Amino acid sequence: MKNLSKLTLIIAGCAIATGISSCSNPQGNTNTHAKEISSSEDSLQHYVDERIGIYEKVKLSTNLNDLSATDRKILPLLIQAAQIMDELFWKQAYPQRDSLLSTIKDEKTKAFVWINYGPWDRLNGDKPFIAGIGAKPEGATFYPAGMTKEQLEKSDLKNKFNQYSVIQKDSTGKLVEIPYHVLFASELQNASSLLKQAALLTEDAGFKKYLNLRADALTSDDFTASDYAWLDMKTNNLDIIIGPIENYEDKLFNARASYESYVLVKDKVWSKRLAKYVAMLPQLQEGLPVAAKYKKEKPGIDSELNAYDVVYYAGDCNAGSKTIAVNLPNDEIIQQKKGTRRSQLKNAMKAKFDKILVPIAKELIDKDQQQYINFDAFFANVMFHEVAHGLGIKQTVTGKGFVKEALQEQYSWLEEGKADVLGLYMVTGLLKKGELEGDLKTFYTTYMAGILRSVRFGAASAHGKANMQCFNFFKENGAFVRNPNGTYKVDFTKFETAMNKLSSLIITLQGNGDKAAVAKVQKENAVISPELQKDLDKLTQKGIPVDIIFEQGVDVLGVK
C-alpha cells in the first residue's frame, strides 16, 4: 500500500469541498515558494493548484456483516495482490516515479503525480504538469524510446503485437521481445503466492479453482484457463480481477496490456435482479439497426451479470477516469464461445452519480427535464453499456481478421462508443418489450447528463472520445437542443432516431475494419467544440468534480 498511504497523507492536509481543493502553503507565504521556481514552473504550479480540485475523494467500503469469517481473512490477501499490480502499472506507465517525486517540493504536485501515475494530466489530453517534462510517449514503456510504428511493423520479430510482452533493444541494437512473466518475475511470483494462500482459505469451489489458475497465469502469461474458470464461478461472495488486461495505455498500437486489479464483494440482491438480461442478447443482436451481414455473429450467453461493491482499485483502472463497470474477458474467442462477465461496481457508480452527475444535471440539463434524472436509469445505462460490448461484430466482413486487429490504436475509443449507443439501444428495446421498468424519458435524459459527465475526461481517454463522438452526432441529428441559457433539452423522438443511426454507423465501421475511415471519424467528430467547452468550464467554476479518487485498503475496511 506504499503509494496509497503516501497519497492519503499528502491529501490529508487539503480541505474537502466539492472536490479536493488546493492545499494551503504550510508557511502561509506563497512568495517565498515562488522565488524558488522559474516562471515556467510557476505557471505549472498554478495549473496543478487548479486541476487537483477536479477530484472528489470517496471512501471505498462495504457491509462486511454479510461475509463469513473466512472471507474477511481472504480480503487482505486479495488487496495485497492488487497492490503489486499497482506497482507493476507504475513500472509500465512511469518507472521514474521515485526519482521524480524526490525532486518535487510542493505537496499538491506530488499528490497530482500519484493520481495520474506520472507527470501527465490524464483528464486533460495528457498535458505535462511538471517543468522539463515533454509529451507523454504514445507507446509508454512498451517499446524502445523513439521507436516508430513503421520500425516495428517492418521488423522480423515473430510476435510483434503480443499483449503480454515488451519490445526492447539488445546490446547490438536489435529489437527483442521480453515476456511480462520474465520481466516482472519476482513481483508476479509474490502476487501468485498471495492468490494461492487465498485459494487455500476459501470454501467456494469455483473461486478456489479460479484463484489457483489465475495464480499460475500470472507467472506464465497464459490466461485462457483462468478466464474460463472465472466465467464458470457462480456462487462466490468475493472476486478479484487481476493481471494485464486493458490496452488503453499503449496508444501506439493498442496492443500491449497494462496491469490492474479490482477487489470486489458481491451484492447478491442487485445481482439477482440483473440475471435475466444476458439471455436476451441473441434476440437483441438480431434486431440491431444495421445490414444483415454485420449482425450474423451469435453473442455468447453463458455468463453472468452481477453487481458488486468494489473495495480496492489498483493500476490501470485507478488511473485517470475511474471505471464503474467491467466487461471481461477481452479475448474475442472466449467471448464468442462462452460470453463475458459484466460486473457493475455499484458503490463507485453511486458516488459518481451523487457527487458529479446530479450537480452537472442541475447546471446543464433543461429545468423541466431535471425531474428525469435518477440513479436507476444511470445504473441501467452503465450496465447495458457493458452488456452491449457483447453485441455487434468481432470479425470483420472484409477478411481483415478481428476488428481489434484491423483497427489497432483506433479500436478502443470506437468500441467504447459502440457500447455507449448499443447500451441505449438495449434499454429502448427492453422498455418496449416490458422487460425493463421505467420511463424512457428518464433513461434518455440521464444518458444526456452522462455524456456531459464523460466528455470532461478529455481527448486522451477512449471513453472521452466515444462520448464526444456521440455528443456531436446527436447534436447534428437534432437529438437535443441547447437553450439560450446554456442548458440542454432532449428531443425524445429524435434521440431514438439518432441512436439507431449512430449504432449502424459504428457497427459498419467496425465490420469493414477500415482504420483510415475510423481515424477520419475521430478527427472530425471526437472533438469538443468551443461552445461545449464553455459550458463545461461552468462546471469547473462551480466546483463540480470531474472524477473521484479513493480512500481504500484494509484500514478503511476494518480487516486485518
Side-chain angles (χ1 to χ4, degrees), residues 1-74:
M1 199 170 172
K2 179 180 176 184
N3 63 321
L4 290 161
S5 59
K6 284 186 177 180
L7 178 57
T8 301
L9 287 172
I10 290 168
I11 293 176
C14 299
I16 302 296
T18 55
I20 302 175
S21 61
S22 301
C23 294
S24 58
N25 187 299
Q27 282 79 36
N29 187 344
T30 55
N31 291 329
T32 301
H33 182 65
K35 292 175 183 177
E36 298 174 359
I37 54 181
S38 68
S39 59
S40 172
E41 290 173 322
D42 187 40
S43 173
L44 291 173
Q45 182 61 57
H46 178 70
Y47 177 85
V48 170
D49 290 348
E50 289 189 340
R51 290 292 292 172
I52 199 168
I54 71 172
Y55 291 94
E56 173 87 1
K57 187 162 69 172
V58 171
K59 183 179 290 188
L60 285 181
S61 60
T62 190
N63 181 8
L64 296 179
N65 294 330
D66 293 335
L67 296 180
S68 67
T70 300
D71 283 342
R72 288 196 288 271
K73 290 179 182 177
I74 292 171

Side-chain angles (χ1 to χ4, degrees), residues 18 456 533-544:
T18 55
R456 299 175 81 201
Q533 188 60 59
K534 183 180 178 182
D535 294 334
L536 298 179
D537 288 344
K538 288 194 299 186
L539 304 177
T540 303
Q541 292 160 10
K542 291 282 186 177
I544 298 172

Side-chain angles (χ1 to χ4, degrees), residues 42 116 248 254 276 320 338 415 522:
D42 187 40
N116 286 283
Y248 302 132
N254 197 63
K276 66 178 182 179
K338 196 171 184 68
E415 173 62 20
Q522 181 196 324

Side-chain angles (χ1 to χ4, degrees), residues 60-62 64 75 79 263 265 311-312 552-559:
L60 285 181
S61 60
T62 190
L64 296 179
L75 270 179
I79 289 173
V263 179
V265 177
V311 296
Y312 206 86
Q552 58 180 356
V554 292
D555 293 336
V556 173
L557 282 174
V559 294

Side-chain angles (χ1 to χ4, degrees), residues 334-345:
I334 296 176
Q335 288 181 5
Q336 288 182 322
K337 286 185 177 180
K338 196 171 184 68
T340 59
R341 183 187 297 275
R342 287 90 173 180
S343 306
Q344 313 304 303
L345 312 183

Side-chain angles (χ1 to χ4, degrees), residues 97-113:
R97 177 193 68 193
D98 293 342
S99 60
L100 174 67
L101 289 172
S102 69
T103 68
I104 299 172
K105 297 179 181 179
D106 179 69
E107 295 300 308
K108 285 175 293 181
T109 303
K110 286 183 180 180
F112 209 48
V113 170

Side-chain angles (χ1 to χ4, degrees), residues 416-428:
E416 293 304 330
K418 181 205 81 173
D420 279 341
V421 72
L422 288 191
L424 193 64
Y425 156 81
M426 290 184 69
V427 166
T428 304

